[in-house]
């Protein structure tokens, strides 16, 4: 039967609509090949002449029979196209309050923006040992499937949670972890499961923040490998993290917050043990007040602080180490309040006995005079000598912010290392299930280096998904010896090439970072010269010479070039770090133990910005004439490498996919 023969009187179709996206309609008379117009009756009662596209002559999508609507697996529908998928999800979500639906091997999860009573231990027990198809769709069914396949196939598994920012990825990842912790009771009595789950509140407090899209947005990526012994009992875990958004420490857009932990600290400032931190309201600090949104509706920061401390204790982070963490965090807040006054265009000073700096130095256990000097000066190195030069107010402010970001990132890594030590198992690991919760594709009013990296990561994950799903599908056909032609699915390799291949965006960025006079503007020009009109996915905005557009798999995104070089170089002044390393407060120097040598014994550049490294040319032993210090790897370079490693890990496991969907932009419950 030809497809056109299905378009008879009373057949129901979906037609595009600018308001509702898709509208339902019924044919008033049979369609005959060659007809240019369909006579339709809309559900709301109006009749309509629907003109077919003269070029494509494409007929509208047919509606599924009512008996199929509300199916718990989208692949059971007769017609599987965009309106059919959306309608089915809407019926389940709005009419039946069901947030989970399968689409073949993918679990689709819609964020209900409401606590639901479907995650208790009784529900976990109901899913344990069951087959995926026998039960209602649920995150626990996916977790059970991964657990079963690990034992059956003797192969490591991954649960890959994807979706845009605010779609509910972190919550899904937490429930998957809770499932493994509950069904695979540990061999030891040391409560491994509790420890694995306790890592969540700690990581959320230091790595999550309120954005305009999400009140609890993960601003870093994480892959948690949950380890099992030969009898498939949980024995420990290990966490890898990806690209923390450091810029948030010193800057927040309107309506956004810094990391939760800062507000938890400010809300607990009155506790006797926190007296010495000299904190107060979050509105008193430059680093916590910029977004003008210090409170999240329904969140009690002081209560959250108690949870964070409990979790630290459970993971064996001692009281003194916890106080050390809070001292450093409070120090960062006081550092953000340090002000500079210009002496002239090229030099500045800090007011005498400046209170924020006094408190910072007291908390950090460092000398006030030294810190004061190196916040307003820098050491410069030429081939033959080093000398000290004052810096302008703007340079000093930028250097202060760079230092705050650096301390925070080092503290973040120290905490991750300590969490991993607490979760490390003495027993040999037989296999693992990895849970990936990584920042979703995002686009804001202003998109910078962070959004670029986040969206690049999502391109890589999308490709991994495409390859896996289509490979599976085609293997199925071959196994059953069904004749088939290789289908051409959307492959985003061209976009990935644009970003990461030779002379791609990251490559050109690294090149520009090595140029003594490289700026964001000169880099933008090189991008246009290399890619404009040569790569279909790359565009230049009409009204800007300092921005570029990439056509990603999910959407077009315009990136502002400003700040890319600085964020990619990620330079801090070495002399400032030296002051911190000389601290009498033992925990602080610990943070900088693994610091790459090449921080920045800086050299003068015309823009006043710092190149990667310039060092006095002292030949190193054995290699005549080689620089004494290696170039520091750029942030983009490190991120590309860690993504490649992640992909290798994922490709060596059996993946299970959870696709989270954000139903509305207003965080309204059960609204699509």
């Amino acid at each position: 039967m030809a497809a056109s023969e299905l378009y008879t009187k009373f057949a129901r179709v979906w037609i595009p609509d600018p308001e509702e996206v898709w509208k339902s309609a019924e044919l008033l008379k049979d369609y005959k090949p060659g007809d240019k117009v369909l006579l339709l009756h809309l559900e709301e009662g109006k009749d309509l002449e629907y003109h077919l596209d003269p070029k494509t002559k494409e007929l509208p999508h047919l509606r599924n029979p009512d008996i199929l609507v509300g199916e718990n697996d989208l692949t059971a529908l007769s017609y599987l196209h965009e309106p059919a998928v959306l309608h089915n999800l809407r019926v389940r979500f709005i009419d039946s309050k069901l947030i989970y639906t399968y689409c073949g091997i993918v679990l689709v999860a819609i964020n209900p923006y409401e606590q639901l009573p479907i995650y208790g231990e009784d529900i976990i027990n109901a899913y344990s040992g069951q087959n995926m198809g026998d039960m209602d769709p649920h995150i626990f069914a996916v977790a059970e499937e991964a657990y079963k396949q690990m034992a059956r196939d003797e192969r490591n598994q991954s649960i890959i949670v994807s979706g845009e920012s605010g779609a509910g990825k972190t919550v899904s990842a937490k429930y998957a972890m809770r499932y493994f912790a509950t069904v695979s009771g540990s061999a030891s009595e040391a409560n491994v499961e509790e420890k694995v789950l306790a890592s969540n509140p700690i990581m959320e407090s230091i790595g999550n923040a309120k954005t305009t899209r999400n009140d609890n947005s993960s601003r870093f990526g994480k892959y948690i490998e949950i380890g099992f012994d030969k009898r498939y009992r949980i024995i420990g875990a290990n966490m890898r993290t990806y690209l923390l958004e450091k810029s948030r420490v010193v800057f927040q857009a309107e309506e956004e917050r810094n990391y939760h932990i800062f507000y938890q600290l400010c809300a607990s400032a009155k506790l006797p043990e926190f007296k010495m931190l000299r904190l107060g309201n979050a509105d008193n600090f430059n680093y916590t007040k910029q977004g003008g949104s210090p409170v999240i509706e329904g969140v009690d920061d002081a209560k959250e602080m108690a949870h964070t401390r409990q979790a630290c204790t459970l993971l064996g982070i001692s009281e003194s180490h916890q106080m050390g963490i809070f001292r450093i965090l409070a120090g960062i807040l006081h550092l953000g309040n340090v002000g500079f006054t210009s002496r002239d265009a090229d030099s500045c000073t800090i007011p005498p006995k400046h209170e924020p700096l006094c408190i910072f130095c007291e908390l950090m256990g460092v000398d006030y005079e030294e810190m004061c000097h190196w916040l307003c000066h820098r050491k410069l190195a030429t081939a033959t000598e080093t000398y000290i030069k004052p810096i302008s107010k703007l340079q000093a402010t930028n250097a202060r912010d760079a230092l705050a970001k650096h301390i925070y990132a080092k503290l973040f890594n120290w905490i991750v290392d300590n969490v991993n030590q607490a979760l490390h198992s003495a027993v040999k690991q037989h296999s693992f299930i990895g849970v990936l919760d990584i920042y979703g594709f995002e686009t804001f009013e202003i998109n910078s280096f962070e959004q670029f990296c986040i969206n690049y990561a999502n391109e890589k994950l999308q490709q991994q998904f495409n390859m896996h799903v289509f490979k599976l599908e085609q293997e199925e056909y071959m196994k059953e010896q069904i004749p088939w032609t290789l289908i051409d699915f959307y492959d985003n390799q061209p976009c990935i090439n644009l970003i990461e291949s030779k002379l791609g965006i990251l490559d050109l960025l690294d090149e520009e970072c090595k140029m003594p006079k490289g700026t964001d503007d000169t880099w933008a020009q090189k991008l246009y010269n290399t890619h404009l009109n040569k790569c279909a996915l790359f565009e230049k905005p009409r009204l800007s010479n300092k921005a570029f557009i990439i056509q990603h798999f999910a959407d077009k995104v315009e990136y502002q070039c400003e700040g890319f070089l600085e964020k990619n170089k990620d330079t801090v002044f070495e002399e400032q770090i030296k002051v911190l390393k000389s601290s009498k407060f033992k925990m602080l120097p610990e943070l900088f133990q693994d610091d790459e040598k090449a921080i920045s014994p800086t050299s003068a550049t015309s823009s006043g910005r710092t190149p990667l490294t310039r060092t006095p040319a002292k030949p190193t032993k054995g290699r005549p004439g080689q620089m004494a210090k290696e170039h520091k790897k750029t942030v983009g370079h490190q991120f590309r490498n860690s993504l490649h490693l992640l992909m290798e890990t994922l490709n060596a496991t059996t993946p299970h996919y959870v696709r989270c969907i954000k139903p509305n932009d207003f965080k309204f419950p059960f609204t699509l």
Side-chain angles (χ1 to χ4, degrees):
M1 184 173 172
S4 59
E5 290 172 33
L6 297 169
Y7 290 82
T8 54
K9 190 175 180 182
F10 303 129
R12 294 185 310 159
V13 295
W14 292 106
I15 58 169
D17 181 77
E19 282 297 301
E20 293 175 44
V21 189
W22 298 100
K23 258 189 177 159
S24 176
E26 198 174 86
L27 264 72
L28 290 173
K29 62 179 247 203
D30 293 359
Y31 162 78
K32 294 188 190 61
D35 285 357
K36 292 178 181 163
V37 174
L38 294 182
L39 286 179
L40 301 178
H41 180 70
L42 294 174
E43 253 181 9
E44 69 233 32
K46 283 203 313 236
D47 288 351
L48 170 82
E49 285 192 358
Y50 180 79
H51 292 267
L52 299 180
D53 184 321
K55 275 204 198 88
T56 62
K57 303 197 169 46
E58 227 170 74
L59 290 161
H61 292 301
L62 286 161
R63 252 187 89 154
N64 281 295
D66 285 344
I67 193 164
L68 291 180
V69 173
E71 275 287 341
N72 73 11
D73 189 339
L74 297 171
T75 56
L77 300 173
S78 305
Y79 306 116
L80 195 56
H81 41 58
E82 183 185 310
V85 167
L86 290 174
H87 182 61
N88 202 65
L89 291 175
R90 173 194 278 161
V91 167
R92 287 177 65 77
F93 184 62
I94 303 291
D95 300 353
S96 310
K97 296 256 191 291
L98 296 168
I99 66 168
Y100 294 119
T101 306
Y102 291 127
C103 181
I105 61 162
V106 182
L107 175 71
V108 180
I110 305 182
N111 190 343
Y113 288 117
E114 198 174 275
Q115 294 288 331
L116 300 180
I118 56 171
Y119 301 106
E121 214 154 301
D122 50 335
I123 309 254
I124 291 180
N125 294 331
Y127 277 87
S128 181
Q130 299 295 322
N131 285 326
M132 201 161 163
D134 297 345
M135 304 282 289
D136 279 337
H138 200 293
I139 184 73
F140 292 161
V142 175
E144 170 64 26
E145 191 63 19
Y147 186 62
K148 228 189 348 256
Q149 285 188 26
M150 170 179 68
R152 190 188 68 206
D153 306 338
E154 291 279 324
R155 187 175 156 91
N156 296 326
Q157 309 285 311
S158 284
I159 293 179
I160 300 172
V161 188
S162 64
E164 67 175 307
S165 184
K169 296 181 295 298
T170 298
V171 175
S172 291
K174 278 197 290 201
Y175 286 134
M177 285 167 68
R178 183 186 290 178
Y179 187 83
F180 301 129
T182 309
V183 297
S184 59
S186 63
S188 68
E189 288 311 304
N191 249 351
V192 186
E193 317 88 308
E194 267 195 14
K195 283 186 176 173
V196 170
L197 297 180
S199 65
N200 285 320
I202 298 177
M203 294 313 298
E204 284 187 25
S205 70
I206 60 170
N208 287 30
K210 175 187 187 229
T211 69
T212 52
R213 304 182 69 81
N214 180 1
D215 287 344
N216 187 32
S217 179
S218 306
R219 307 314 298 164
F220 70 108
K222 69 174 185 287
Y223 183 65
I224 298 188
E225 287 182 0
I226 299 167
F228 299 88
D229 64 11
K230 277 210 209 38
R231 294 172 59 190
Y232 303 107
R233 291 175 305 194
I234 197 166
I235 52 165
N238 183 67
M239 170 171 34
R240 285 192 244 167
T241 62
Y242 300 88
L243 192 85
L244 174 74
E245 181 185 49
K246 289 196 286 196
S247 57
R248 184 168 295 274
V249 176
V250 302
F251 170 77
Q252 305 92 46
E254 205 178 323
E255 291 290 307
E256 300 205 346
R257 296 208 317 179
N258 201 329
Y259 290 103
H260 296 325
I261 189 70
F262 289 116
Y263 303 89
Q264 293 176 10
L265 267 173
C266 288
S268 314
K270 295 224 171 25
L271 293 177
E273 64 269 37
F274 286 175
K275 269 269 180 359
M276 51 105 49
L277 303 180
R278 317 269 289 274
L279 292 169
N281 198 301
D283 286 338
N284 300 341
F285 296 99
N286 185 24
Y287 286 166
T288 42
K289 69 177 184 189
Q290 297 171 57
S293 190
V295 180
I296 298 173
E297 207 180 315
V299 173
D300 177 341
D301 284 311
K303 228 191 218 149
E304 293 301 318
M305 184 60 166
H307 290 317
T308 303
R309 294 172 78 181
Q310 258 171 324
C312 286
T313 304
L314 192 63
L315 282 174
I317 298 175
S318 68
E319 271 301 310
S320 69
H321 268 137
Q322 288 183 46
M323 278 316 293
I325 291 170
F326 302 142
R327 253 176 89 170
I328 294 168
L329 290 165
I332 291 172
L333 289 182
H334 291 294
L335 178 62
N337 281 1
V338 171
F340 302 92
T341 30
S342 289
R343 271 221 293 257
D344 54 43
D346 299 316
S347 66
C348 65
T349 57
I350 290 170
K353 295 268 170 281
H354 186 42
E355 196 188 29
L357 187 57
C358 287
I359 301 172
F360 173 77
C361 293
E362 203 178 295
L363 289 171
M364 295 298 185
V366 298
D367 181 73
Y368 178 91
E369 293 308 325
E370 250 194 303
M371 199 70 225
C372 188
H373 176 75
W374 288 116
L375 280 168
C376 300
H377 297 81
R378 71 204 271 187
K379 202 178 249 186
L380 292 178
T382 64
T384 49
E385 57 176 349
T386 46
Y387 55 97
I388 292 166
K389 164 181 178 288
I391 54 178
S392 71
K393 180 179 173 176
L394 178 65
Q395 289 171 325
T397 307
N398 288 341
R400 174 203 69 189
D401 287 351
L403 181 64
K405 290 189 288 191
H406 191 69
I407 298 170
Y408 191 83
K410 287 290 172 190
L411 181 62
F412 182 90
N413 291 341
W414 184 93
I415 293 171
V416 171
D417 289 342
N418 275 266
V419 168
N420 278 337
Q421 278 165 24
L423 297 177
H424 183 74
S425 155
V427 185
K428 191 169 180 303
Q429 180 173 299
H430 175 70
S431 53
F432 71 79
I433 299 177
V435 180
L436 180 69
D437 168 23
I438 203 159
Y439 15 55
F441 180 86
E442 63 181 27
T443 161
F444 294 106
E445 287 288 310
I446 291 177
N447 300 295
S448 185
F449 181 69
E450 293 82 0
Q451 281 67 44
F452 174 77
C453 290
I454 286 171
N455 294 341
Y456 163 42
N458 278 276
E459 288 286 353
K460 297 285 278 189
L461 285 169
Q462 183 66 23
Q463 183 180 47
Q464 197 273 345
F465 172 75
N466 289 349
M467 300 301 257
H468 180 75
V469 172
F470 286 100
K471 211 172 91 197
L472 269 188
E473 202 50 45
Q474 294 175 353
E475 277 168 8
E476 197 67 31
Y477 273 66
M478 287 167 85
K479 201 166 73 195
E480 297 186 20
Q481 297 182 325
I482 301 168
W484 58 284
T485 47
L486 223 155
I487 46 170
D488 185 22
F489 57 88
Y490 173 72
D491 182 18
N492 52 348
Q493 189 62 48
C495 188
I496 291 169
N497 288 345
L498 168 66
I499 295 169
E500 69 173 24
S501 67
K502 198 164 166 44
L503 291 180
I505 293 173
L506 282 174
D507 215 11
L508 291 171
L509 181 60
D510 280 357
E511 272 310 299
E512 207 56 24
C513 285
K514 289 177 195 154
M515 298 290 173
K517 293 193 174 174
T519 65
D520 295 322
D521 293 0
T522 56
W523 174 61
Q525 288 315 309
K526 285 185 186 168
L527 283 182
Y528 302 149
N529 296 343
T530 313
H531 298 294
L532 201 55
N533 303 324
K534 297 184 189 102
C535 173
L537 302 173
F538 181 91
E539 295 171 31
K540 176 184 173 300
R542 280 218 313 271
L543 300 171
S544 171
N545 292 322
K546 299 177 181 188
F548 61 95
I549 295 168
I550 297 181
Q551 175 67 64
H552 287 287
F553 73 94
D555 203 356
K556 266 187 183 181
V557 181
E558 180 176 323
Y559 298 100
Q560 305 301 323
C561 297
E562 193 192 333
F564 263 73
L565 261 73
E566 205 54 56
K567 287 172 179 173
N568 191 42
K569 287 191 287 201
D570 195 25
T571 329
V572 261
F573 290 174
E574 191 170 31
E575 299 312 314
Q576 296 178 356
I577 301 296
K578 272 189 186 156
V579 177
L580 297 181
K581 279 183 168 175
S582 68
S583 166
K584 298 188 286 289
F585 158 38
K586 213 171 71 241
M587 188 173 152
L588 193 62
E590 263 182 46
L591 301 189
F592 302 102
Q593 269 168 358
D594 65 335
D595 242 358
E596 292 195 49
K597 294 288 175 284
I599 293 188
S600 177
T602 53
S603 70
T605 62
S606 60
S607 65
R609 289 205 169 136
T610 319
L612 279 173
T613 49
R614 281 276 184 87
T615 340
K618 279 188 241 152
T620 48
K621 283 181 195 158
R623 294 199 211 163
Q626 193 201 2
M627 291 288 192
K629 286 176 180 175
E630 294 294 312
H631 272 307
K632 179 181 168 212
K633 282 194 179 71
T634 61
V635 176
H637 185 88
Q638 291 171 31
F639 189 56
R640 176 167 50 191
N641 289 352
S642 61
L643 269 188
H644 281 282
L645 280 174
L646 173 64
M647 292 305 145
E648 273 174 22
T649 305
L650 294 180
N651 290 332
T653 62
T654 301
H656 304 262
Y657 297 98
V658 180
R659 181 64 184 199
C660 298
I661 289 180
K662 182 177 181 177
N664 64 75
D665 274 333
F666 314 105
K667 306 170 193 165
F668 290 160
F670 285 107
T671 311
L672 191 66

